[in-house]
Amino acid sequence: MTYFLVIPSSLPSVYITSCGYGRRGRSRGRSSRSCDGRASSSDDTQRRRVGTEAEKKAISLLSKLRNELQTDKPFLPLTDNCLDADIWNKYLEYHHTLLNENNKKISWFQSPWLYVECYMYRRIHEALVLSSPISYFDVFKESKERNFFESQEAIKTLCSYLQDLKKRIENLDEKQLKDEFLKLFQIVLWGNKCDLALSPNQSIPQTSSPLAVLEDLKPYILVNNLDYLWSLLISRKKMRQETFSITRVDFIMDNAGFELVTDLVMADFLLASKLATEIHFHGKSIPWFVSDTNKNDIYWLIEQLKAANTKCMSECGINWEYYLKHSWIYQDHMFWTLPHEYCTMSQVATDLYAELEKSNLILFKGDLNYRKLVGDRKWDFTVPFHQALNGFHPAPLCSIRTLKTEVQVGLAPGQGEEITDTDPQWMTTGKYGIFQFDGAL
């Protein structure tokens, strides 16, 4: 996989004139105003000058980063004042000790690929943090929003289907409910194709009906453990009728845009069907891997849906806004944007691990989460998923991903080799997908 660090000639000018001072520990100061309440022209000029200087600094830092990457320079410690900087720098020291016994500094071409990728995105964030007042500008925002707008027809189809399903959901028998469960989870899977980190210069919209292609895509699901998920949730639903307990499902989110819509549709269905009573979403605290979802992406998407001219879309937006105030909980944690594998979570982020232990089912979306679940290693295809998790078992969990990187475990004997014979690039195209469950604690 090849990454291109594209340095813009300028950042969006609308941001330069409108941004506030968002650095941690600093309030958004009130600007001087003329007697009639309007900002004076001198204030506008000052804000534009400060914004332009910040823009130049950010671009300079990003250009320096690109040069370091292209010329295999040693990794540098982070210099910003973010809470995770010390953790990153200690991890850098750890890798220096682990990989370079002859005291050579680790560099871009000589380090584990997963670590390099995470380090690059953290350095991009650092370039903005050091460029106040645009410290918290999301450089990937435009790409994520474009993916949403270019997927409008598919989103409308999905929202319409959900609204119709909810009207008749109380009348479905168990078999019919399971059919809908399986169908919507397949939509969630194939929505994961929309990964902008693979093609940062172009959107990957969902242009066809996500419902019409499901049957044709079934042969490309290499591991399908959806029956385990269904058994777990339907059993808890039946038990809850006697014990009045809750059923909590956690989404460890991946991409914004169309994929985010599929996640929210699935969460809505789980509540409407009473297969779950509580939904937790876990997003990124900073812009990450181009299209990864953060809090702003969720609220922006909901506002777009609320304002849509199509009734089914606006209804979804209104409902999801309500749920986020009641039965849906969004949270982020710096661990999701650290380079650590998830098997270290119980030591590195004990609070997050303890929170996930409260879940009844954790859904890990996408490739990056899978790589951190099993380690970015060249596993034999038949190594059991449970073994590759290396002791990470806060609760029953399921990985939902379309394959875009060369790591996969838990296949049947000969399955990987057979696919390789007919499709040598099968692990990196997003053509194949998995629902891989581990229920052992």
Side-chain angles (χ1 to χ4, degrees):
M1 187 185 300
T2 303
Y3 275 84
F4 300 95
L5 185 54
V6 179
I7 309 300
S9 58
S10 65
L11 297 174
S13 59
V14 64
Y15 190 80
I16 295 173
T17 59
S18 64
C19 63
Y21 290 79
R23 291 296 297 276
R24 185 166 303 180
R26 180 180 297 176
S27 63
R28 189 187 295 268
R30 182 175 298 177
S31 63
S32 301
R33 292 181 177 272
S34 58
C35 294
D36 62 0
R38 292 175 297 180
S40 65
S41 59
S42 61
D43 292 335
D44 290 340
T45 301
Q46 174 69 5
R47 284 206 303 272
R48 185 175 294 276
R49 183 185 66 79
V50 171
T52 301
E53 290 174 355
E55 176 188 23
K56 290 179 179 178
K57 182 176 181 180
I59 292 173
S60 174
L61 290 171
L62 291 171
S63 297
K64 178 177 179 292
L65 172 61
R66 180 174 63 182
N67 177 262
E68 292 174 23
L69 189 157
Q70 292 174 331
T71 57
D72 192 27
K73 292 290 192 297
F75 280 6
L76 300 176
L78 298 176
T79 60
D80 57 47
N81 63 353
C82 293
L83 293 177
D84 65 342
D86 287 343
I87 300 174
W88 270 95
N89 290 339
K90 289 177 181 177
Y91 197 79
L92 175 61
E93 293 175 7
Y94 165 74
H95 268 275
H96 173 74
T97 303
L98 186 67
L99 301 176
N100 296 277
E101 295 179 356
N102 51 1
N103 209 31
K104 287 182 61 178
K105 291 185 177 180
I106 58 176
S107 64
W108 290 90
F109 298 169
Q110 308 299 324
S111 304
W113 180 232
L114 178 59
Y115 177 46
V116 169
E117 289 181 279
C118 292
Y119 177 77
M120 181 187 75
Y121 283 103
R122 183 56 180 83
R123 284 286 303 278
I124 291 173
H125 181 62
E126 179 190 50
L128 274 295
V129 169
L130 295 176
S131 303
S132 179
I134 60 172
S135 299
Y136 296 98
F137 174 59
D138 186 347
V139 294
F140 308 123
K141 184 174 185 287
E142 183 177 343
S143 298
K144 290 184 282 190
E145 292 178 356
R146 184 166 64 249
N147 176 269
F148 171 82
F149 287 124
E150 292 179 352
S151 303
Q152 288 293 286
E153 287 304 312
I155 292 172
K156 182 170 69 174
T157 299
L158 199 50
C159 289
S160 176
Y161 187 83
L162 174 66
Q163 294 301 321
D164 177 69
L165 175 59
K166 289 172 67 176
K167 291 175 183 176
R168 53 188 176 87
I169 200 165
E170 294 291 340
N171 298 321
L172 299 180
D173 60 30
E174 187 171 312
K175 181 181 182 303
Q176 291 171 323
L177 186 64
K178 182 180 180 181
D179 289 342
E180 299 295 345
F181 174 89
L182 298 176
K183 183 184 298 182
L184 290 178
F185 258 116
Q186 289 175 71
I187 291 172
V188 169
L189 170 64
W190 299 117
N192 183 241
K193 281 188 172 184
C194 303
D195 192 335
L196 298 176
L198 295 176
S199 51
N201 291 322
Q202 66 182 61
S203 174
I204 309 175
Q206 175 71 35
T207 54
S208 59
S209 168
L211 296 159
V213 296
L214 293 183
E215 200 62 35
D216 293 338
L217 292 174
K218 280 185 178 180
Y220 299 99
I221 302 177
L222 303 181
V223 180
N224 191 344
N225 293 157
L226 279 179
D227 281 342
Y228 291 105
L229 273 65
W230 169 256
S231 296
L232 186 155
L233 294 177
I234 194 64
S235 296
R236 288 195 61 83
K237 179 181 178 180
K238 293 174 180 178
M239 179 181 68
R240 200 168 60 246
Q241 294 171 352
E242 301 176 2
T243 63
F244 304 102
S245 60
I246 67 167
T247 297
R248 168 174 163 173
V249 176
D250 287 60
F251 286 73
I252 315 301
M253 306 174 81
D254 192 17
N255 299 307
F258 176 75
E259 181 177 350
L260 174 55
V261 174
T262 69
D263 291 342
L264 299 181
V265 166
M266 190 73 232
D268 196 335
F269 167 79
L270 290 174
L271 287 182
S273 63
K274 298 181 174 62
L275 290 168
T277 59
E278 189 176 300
I279 303 291
H280 287 241
F281 295 107
H282 300 262
K284 305 301 191 297
S285 56
I286 62 175
W288 197 246
F289 276 66
V290 183
S291 51
D292 280 22
T293 300
N294 58 46
K295 185 176 183 179
N296 291 336
D297 296 326
I298 293 181
Y299 284 98
W300 178 88
L301 182 143
I302 287 175
E303 288 301 318
Q304 296 303 311
L305 291 173
K306 285 168 55 183
N309 293 326
T310 306
K311 183 179 179 182
C312 62
M313 294 172 66
S314 62
E315 285 182 351
C316 282
I318 293 169
N319 291 340
W320 295 346
E321 182 180 56
Y322 175 83
Y323 295 154
L324 277 170
K325 296 176 181 177
H326 297 86
S327 51
W328 289 359
I329 298 172
Y330 174 87
Q331 52 197 120
D332 51 41
H333 193 286
M334 74 168 68
F335 183 83
W336 302 122
T337 51
L338 292 176
H340 297 76
E341 296 174 2
Y342 292 165
C343 62
T344 69
M345 185 189 294
S346 59
Q347 291 81 43
V348 176
T350 55
D351 57 334
L352 178 59
Y353 193 86
E355 180 65 28
L356 293 180
E357 285 183 310
K358 301 173 186 177
S359 183
N360 300 112
L361 175 63
I362 311 172
L363 305 174
F364 284 89
K365 298 292 305 299
D367 237 34
L368 179 58
N369 278 320
Y370 191 79
R371 294 164 70 194
K372 289 189 172 186
L373 280 170
V374 304
D376 208 29
R377 297 170 175 83
K378 193 172 180 61
W379 294 101
D380 288 339
F381 295 137
T382 55
V383 169
F385 184 44
H386 177 76
Q387 177 182 333
L389 289 172
N390 196 20
F392 179 72
H393 306 293
L397 62 88
C398 184
S399 171
I400 303 173
R401 71 184 278 241
T402 55
L403 278 64
K404 310 183 195 87
T405 51
E406 295 177 334
V407 55
Q408 180 60 51
V409 298
L411 298 185
Q415 186 180 12
E417 292 78 7
E418 182 180 346
I419 302 171
T420 302
D421 288 342
T422 57
D423 189 355
Q425 305 301 317
W426 65 278
M427 300 186 76
T428 58
T429 60
K431 179 179 178 181
Y432 296 88
I434 61 164
F435 296 100
Q436 202 155 31
F437 178 77
D438 182 74
L441 296 176

